[in-house]
Amino acid sequence: VFINRPDLKNYTIEADVMTEGNKRKMSEIGLINQRYIINLKGNAQQLEVTSNQELFKQSVPFAISPNVWYHLKTRVDVAADGSGVIRAKAWKKGEAEPEAWTIEVPHKNANLEGSPGLFGFSPQEQRAWIDNITVTPNK
């Protein structure tokens, strides 16, 4: 689901997210920033950055528990030469925000713009929840 104009750029999107399920069956839930999907993959226990699905994908391990709220935050920084870095961090809601980004993915030809949005994939009967969405300009 896209939530603004397709020509937006230089913003941070964040939200609280949760997947229902159990240790063997969870949803995927995430945010979209400048055509990149930043996705908490419950079953794979990963935080993944992807664009064009198989053409651009990188992930890091991230422990995800079902029925627990997490805060997900992401931004895309584009340099003058068109290269960029996609940054994301995730942590349990209510805990202090980590200083370091959980994942930082360089991209030689970064997406220069794109609408912020929400992503969810819910297998069978496991629902995904998103709350407290904010989009703010980068400083």
Side-chain angles (χ1 to χ4, degrees), residues 53-67:
Q53 294 296 338
E54 299 301 320
L55 297 177
F56 183 85
K57 183 181 348 185
Q58 189 168 339
S59 61
V60 294
F62 186 83
I64 304 160
S65 298
N67 309 306

Side-chain angles (χ1 to χ4, degrees), residues 50-120:
T50 174
S51 181
N52 298 327
Q53 294 296 338
E54 299 301 320
L55 297 177
F56 183 85
K57 183 181 348 185
Q58 189 168 339
S59 61
V60 294
F62 186 83
I64 304 160
S65 298
N67 309 306
V68 173
W69 283 98
Y70 293 90
H71 192 82
L72 185 57
K73 180 177 183 177
T74 181
R75 67 181 283 156
V76 177
D77 294 300
V78 179
D81 68 358
S83 66
V85 179
I86 304 93
R87 294 177 168 90
K89 56 173 88 171
W91 65 95
K92 285 186 179 177
K93 182 180 175 182
E95 293 182 356
E97 178 178 344
E99 288 286 326
W101 294 97
T102 309
I103 187 169
E104 295 184 76
V105 181
H107 194 184
K108 184 177 178 181
N109 298 303
N111 296 329
L112 302 179
E113 60 188 19
S115 176
L118 313 172
F119 174 82

Side-chain angles (χ1 to χ4, degrees), residues 32-46:
I32 301 168
N33 190 329
Q34 289 184 211
R35 298 185 305 170
Y36 296 99
I37 297 173
I38 295 82
N39 184 16
L40 283 174
K41 297 178 67 88
N43 291 342
Q45 296 289 293
Q46 294 176 334

Side-chain angles (χ1 to χ4, degrees), residues 4-59:
N4 212 309
R5 298 184 335 259
D7 61 343
L8 282 178
K9 58 185 172 185
N10 198 30
Y11 59 85
T12 297
I13 180 171
E14 50 191 303
D16 297 328
V17 299
M18 180 180 69
T19 172
E20 290 183 344
N22 54 50
K23 289 183 180 182
R24 296 180 54 178
K25 186 170 65 169
M26 288 185 269
S27 298
E28 296 182 11
I29 187 97
L31 303 173
I32 301 168
N33 190 329
Q34 289 184 211
R35 298 185 305 170
Y36 296 99
I37 297 173
I38 295 82
N39 184 16
L40 283 174
K41 297 178 67 88
N43 291 342
Q45 296 289 293
Q46 294 176 334
L47 178 59
E48 179 180 84
V49 173
T50 174
S51 181
N52 298 327
Q53 294 296 338
E54 299 301 320
L55 297 177
F56 183 85
K57 183 181 348 185
Q58 189 168 339
S59 61

Side-chain angles (χ1 to χ4, degrees), residues 3 13-16 31 117-118 130-135:
I3 58 175
I13 180 171
E14 50 191 303
D16 297 328
L31 303 173
L118 313 172
I130 302 174
D131 199 9
N132 302 316
I133 304 155
T134 61
V135 180

